[in-house]
Amino acid sequence: MKAPQLEAFGERELLGTGPCGAVFRAVREDGEVTAVKLLDGMAINRALLEEATARLEKGGWPDGVLPILEADYRTKPAVRVTPCLADVDEEGVPRPRSLQHRLADFPGEDSWDVVMALADALAEMHARQVAHGNLKPGNVFFDEEGGLTLVDWCLGNMPGVGQMDFTDAILYQPPEQLREPEAYLHEAGYRWDVHAWGVLAFRLITGRFPRANATFIQVAPPPGETHREGLQADLLKVANTVESQRMVEWPTEAEGEKERRWREVIDTCLALEPGDRPANAMEVRHRLQAVEREMAEEEQRDAVLDQRRHAQKAAGRAGMAAGVLLGAAVLMGFLWHVAKGQFAQERERRIKSEALAVKQEQRAAEELGRARKSERQAVAALQAGEATWLARIEASRDLGDRLFSWAIEEDHRTLPPLDGRKLRLQRLEDYYEQFLERTDGLEGLGDERARARLHLAEISLAMGEPDLAAKRFEVALASADDLEPGAALDLRLATDRLLLAILFKENGDPRAGETFESARQALMKVPQAEVDADRVAYLLATLDLRESELLAAAGDEVAALEHLHRATEELNRLADQRPEAALLRSELVACYLSSATILDGMGELGDARGLREMAAAKLLQLIEDHPGDLKLREELAGCYGALAESSLVAGDVSRAESMSKGATKLLTEILSQRPESASVKSRLAAQHGIMAGILRDRGESEEALRRYDEGLHLLEGLVVGDGADPLARFRYALLTWEKGRMLGFAGDRKSEIAHEEKSLEMLLVLLESSYGVSRAESIKRSIGYLLGDLGHAREAAGEKDGAEAAFGEAVKIWESLHRDRPASEEYEEALDWNRQRLAEFRPEER
């Protein structure tokens, strides 16, 4: 194969980038459109690529494999030129024809066709003694005729690769490839491909990953995108994730016997033990074809048997018919003589019966007329009711669809922002206005119409239209009696009042002051025992912070400062009440739960991040005017600390470190002047814990242990005696646990177990205290994670009985939490993980 001459190409257009390099669309001097891939030398094995390319090229490129036109793997960067499998859209933008860009079409009618074509292409590669090793949707393309073709073999997680960033290919790879990619050189890659084909086939047919779907689906690129930003590839943890679920369950039943048997082939490919899988893709293809061949033979045998049965039945019917005809002829002769004598009598009876039938028909016609009249009345009533219920069903369905679209907005803490927000809001507005017009006068839709009026008011708030929002909100309040009463509705209406007040303030509307006051009164009336009390507290803090701006603009500096103090104190109190959010780093959290899921269950810190940033900015301005005010500095430190925690949970380590350093500096200065302040000590200990975790992840274990010890030392005086602070105890227990895990990482399992047992004892005591009444769920969740770590540590130390006991107690904790919140993905996954670990000690329960 000749080396490419890049000067022979015209202007190159970037198609995309990945962990191994960048791909460009380029037109050669002869007019051929090609894809030029520049490969990063640290991310590839040059010798392996050369050998694989030579094997595939020898004897002509196999079907289903994208041919390489030119290549030079020795240059810097390495270069590979192939045909370009991309279409240019109406805007002139190239769109790759990859399976990743068509993933939204699956599962669908073509699922099995693509699965079979993929098996054929992979079998052709294996026949040339080349294992792909990097199978994923982004490496499966379609040519101009719709045929499937494989690309980018021997890239990614390969032996001899100097660096490897996250790529979704690892979600399809078996555990042994993730742990030991060097085994590719010893022909292990064929069974790796078989597993990857099984995962991809399962996903094409069901839309799910066969194992750890809840985790993998969140880190896999969505359809149309080729990678996710900000993810790190911890291959050992991914391998543990796959092995934690040994059995594969299909979410739906197979459609027919053939599909059921094909699924059995996929199940063998997904076996965790390599020896239980087919040896290569050629064997996979043979098994799939054998199923199809056997099913065709069975259908042919059934067809022959059906023909034989039909012939036998036809012969029997013919003989029977002949006998019947003969008997009928004899019988008819006899009956003719009898009938002749009875004819006269029968004629007379028929005349009488016809007269009687005429009278019966007349009565029947009268009954039919009455029945039809009743039917028309019933149909009219039914149609009237049907219109109402159809409108109700349509309203419920469309409301659900549109409210879901509305929910995934910018700054939503678990979902990415969507483009075209204003357009979507306008469409929602049109829908609700048309709904109100269409259902005007229909009875039984009071709830839906009142809800639609409230939605219209909230749409106006979202679009920043204060006057229209105020009018619509008044209309919505007038019909609020038709809505189901309760604390949830009270909180919603109070929240809308607050949003309206903020909108008034931003537009300089004089109605802002009175609207803030009405919002405060509404929030204070919400029964906090029936709603999320922290949510109400957060809204009141938001109100105080926003109203402080209004007061400051009016010249009332004293009241403005009072509101600002109250807002920041409340925000910092809310952050202090959630110490587990930033400190939990258990094996289960690290391996099995996505950041979005963790955030969902760990304090919802992301909700208030923007508000804390605003509060921090205002506090900085005030500190410039009042540099000696320690209270302002402590409030600023609290905001910095909370921002550090929320950034760490969200995965923004650099911002977390920056905010934590700022908080630590301020708190250390304050502590030197207020050495007895419990709140300052507790917050400073929290920052030591955050920095210890960051340092530990960087491999700076000695400095991390020193930070843990400093944090524990600060809290020691706050966790003893009758007047001990429950929050300090909670934080002390978590720091003790974290230090234990740090010691365990260094190989000191005995010390790890001692620290984790001490932490567990403190948390159990705390759970039974008065503090546990309002924070029981947070404490129980921490205990559940801690027991999982303790079981892991005891198992590593050879304490099998102790490990089994820990996992058993963990299962009980997670069962209790899951009963309380059955919709929690976090609790469900944690429960499954601990059950699987427990089952390893109890084979009879598997």
Side-chain angles (χ1 to χ4, degrees), residues 44 88 292 468 479 520 545 612 672 675 727 767 785 803 819:
I44 63 172
V88 179
E292 193 161 20
L468 184 56
S479 61
R520 185 183 302 279
L545 186 58
R612 290 192 182 98
S672 65
L727 178 58
L767 186 62
Y785 285 127
R819 280 195 300 271

Side-chain angles (χ1 to χ4, degrees), residues 414-607:
T414 59
L415 293 172
L418 297 178
D419 294 329
R421 176 175 183 265
K422 184 175 181 181
L423 177 61
R424 290 200 318 281
L425 290 175
Q426 289 174 344
R427 288 177 177 173
L428 278 173
E429 184 177 46
D430 292 342
Y431 164 75
Y432 288 120
E433 288 178 340
Q434 292 171 9
F435 172 76
L436 289 172
E437 293 176 3
R438 191 171 62 252
T439 59
D440 187 21
L442 285 178
E443 297 181 358
L445 288 176
D447 178 90
E448 285 79 1
R449 288 176 59 81
R451 199 172 299 276
R453 294 187 183 100
L454 183 56
H455 286 325
L456 282 172
E458 291 169 339
I459 289 171
S460 297
L461 288 171
M463 294 180 73
E465 299 173 344
D467 293 332
L468 184 56
K471 293 177 182 178
R472 284 177 167 175
F473 192 60
E474 289 300 322
V475 173
L477 288 177
S479 61
D481 291 341
D482 291 327
L483 296 171
E484 183 178 353
L489 177 61
D490 294 341
L491 179 57
R492 180 174 182 176
L493 294 175
T495 304
D496 288 342
R497 289 181 187 275
L498 174 58
L499 294 174
L500 182 59
I502 293 172
L503 192 58
F504 280 154
K505 186 192 77 65
E506 291 175 349
N507 286 271
D509 194 304
R511 291 173 288 179
E514 62 182 29
T515 310
F516 272 124
E517 183 57 33
S518 66
R520 185 183 302 279
Q521 293 176 6
L523 285 169
M524 297 298 291
K525 291 179 181 178
V526 174
Q528 297 193 22
E530 301 177 31
V531 297
D532 184 351
D534 286 348
R535 182 65 180 172
V536 177
Y538 164 66
L539 291 172
L540 286 169
T542 304
L543 193 156
D544 279 331
L545 186 58
R546 296 289 191 169
E547 196 173 14
S548 70
E549 298 173 325
L550 193 66
L551 293 168
D556 193 347
E557 295 289 347
V558 175
L561 186 59
E562 179 185 350
H563 280 63
L564 179 58
H565 280 316
R566 193 162 58 205
T568 51
E569 284 179 350
E570 192 62 33
L571 288 172
N572 291 333
R573 182 192 68 81
L574 291 173
D576 288 340
Q577 295 289 346
R578 308 276 190 171
E580 78 282 9
L583 291 177
L584 282 183
R585 297 289 185 277
S586 78
E587 189 71 20
L588 178 59
V589 173
C591 295
Y592 295 92
L593 300 180
S594 68
S595 61
T597 303
I598 297 171
L599 188 59
D600 179 56
M602 289 189 178
E604 304 173 358
L605 292 173
D607 282 351

Side-chain angles (χ1 to χ4, degrees), residues 253-266:
E253 294 294 329
E255 295 182 3
E257 179 64 11
K258 181 192 292 186
E259 181 173 324
R260 185 190 67 78
R261 294 172 64 179
W262 275 343
R263 287 186 177 191
E264 289 178 352
V265 176
I266 295 176

Side-chain angles (χ1 to χ4, degrees), residues 20 100 404 411 425 427 501 513 522 551 691 739 846:
C20 297
Q100 179 64 35
F404 175 78
D411 296 331
L425 290 175
R427 288 177 177 173
L551 293 168
M691 285 303 302
K739 181 182 176 182
R846 294 182 185 175

